[in-house]
Amino acid sequence: MSKYYPPKHNEKQFHCIYCGVYASQVWGNLIYNGSSTISPIRFSQCKHCNKTSFWHTEKMIIPSDSPVQPHHTDMPEDIIPEYDEARSIFGRSPRAAAALLRLAAQKLMPILGEEGKNINDDIKSLVSKGLPIQVQQALDYCRVVGNHAVHPGEINLTDSPEIAQHLFEMLNFIVENRITQPKHIESLYQSLPDGAKEHIEKRDAPKQK
């Protein structure tokens, strides 16, 4: 999955909130009707789709979607509602968004072959099965930050919303690693000639005593 560059005030290039393309942006200020006075509202126009977003006090106000990366194309359908809801409210409440993404991470556990009752136990089980450390750390990031969103702790998401913003990246990384990459490898393997696959199956079959 390629790196996502969220819309950012005065940046010359980012992923457009409308078309999702990494494209150049043209910036300008609105002018009051019939006056030469410049308003505090700025706009950026995407050079790919030509649609315009509007900004005030360095924050995007139209469209109201939060400038965070969209869900992975392979994200399971059961998790997309939580992800998209978290994305829609992130700008207004990073804490609420983090809690929703923590729920999304827990709902992902049964899809990865775990019980889905206790996310900490599920992560431990996945680690015992050889889960790569990067995925374990991403899951624990979602778990810990999500827990702190609803319980007082050392992480203050109101003062540091970027901590919650990383949750979107982490959840997409988990989907990429545990769903997209295995699916791609399986597709490549199945494209091998049948004779080659039969030879591999014979090679790996348990030897009879």
Side-chain angles (χ1 to χ4, degrees):
M1 186 178 181
S2 59
K3 182 174 175 58
Y4 178 78
Y5 294 90
K8 194 174 182 180
H9 185 255
N10 261 357
E11 285 290 326
K12 294 181 179 180
Q13 292 179 310
F14 51 68
H15 280 89
C16 174
I17 197 71
Y18 292 105
C19 66
V21 172
Y22 182 69
S24 299
Q25 305 290 322
V26 178
W27 286 89
N29 282 83
L30 295 183
I31 298 177
Y32 289 111
N33 187 29
S35 169
S36 60
T37 304
I38 297 176
S39 81
I41 305 296
R42 302 206 74 209
F43 67 85
S44 62
Q45 185 178 39
C46 173
K47 294 195 75 172
H48 181 264
C49 69
N50 293 321
K51 291 187 177 180
T52 303
S53 59
F54 297 90
W55 302 67
H56 183 256
T57 61
E58 300 188 0
K59 294 182 179 180
M60 189 172 65
I61 55 175
I62 299 174
S64 60
D65 294 359
S66 299
V68 294
Q69 59 182 262
H71 64 77
H72 196 291
T73 53
D74 283 332
M75 185 165 286
E77 291 186 3
D78 290 347
I79 298 170
I80 291 176
E82 281 77 16
Y83 189 100
D84 285 349
E85 184 178 353
R87 189 169 182 250
S88 70
I89 65 172
F90 173 77
R92 299 186 297 276
S93 177
R95 294 176 66 234
L100 280 166
L101 292 176
R102 194 268 187 203
L103 174 61
Q106 182 158 351
K107 289 179 68 174
L108 184 61
M109 293 297 102
I111 299 171
L112 300 183
E114 302 303 320
E115 293 185 0
K117 296 178 180 179
N118 184 303
I119 189 170
N120 196 45
D121 290 343
D122 288 341
I123 294 172
K124 180 179 179 180
S125 174
L126 287 168
V127 169
S128 71
K129 298 173 183 175
L131 186 74
I133 188 171
Q134 294 90 348
V135 184
Q136 170 259 305
Q137 291 173 346
L139 283 167
D140 277 319
Y141 187 94
C142 294
R143 178 182 63 84
V144 172
V145 174
N147 285 346
H148 279 263
V150 293
H151 300 293
E154 299 175 359
I155 300 175
N156 190 330
L157 298 180
T158 302
D159 292 341
S160 303
E162 66 277 2
I163 295 175
Q165 189 170 11
H166 292 315
L167 284 168
F168 296 92
E169 178 184 352
M170 290 294 181
L171 204 58
N172 278 332
F173 168 75
I174 294 164
V175 172
E176 171 73 17
N177 185 278
R178 307 313 293 169
I179 296 177
T180 302
Q181 291 180 5
K183 184 171 70 172
H184 178 61
I185 292 171
E186 172 67 14
S187 175
L188 291 175
Y189 179 79
Q190 292 303 329
S191 69
L192 292 174
D194 291 339
K197 287 186 289 186
E198 290 174 4
H199 179 76
I200 293 170
E201 291 171 4
K202 290 179 181 179
R203 181 200 66 191
D204 296 338
K207 295 182 179 179
Q208 295 183 355
K209 295 181 179 180

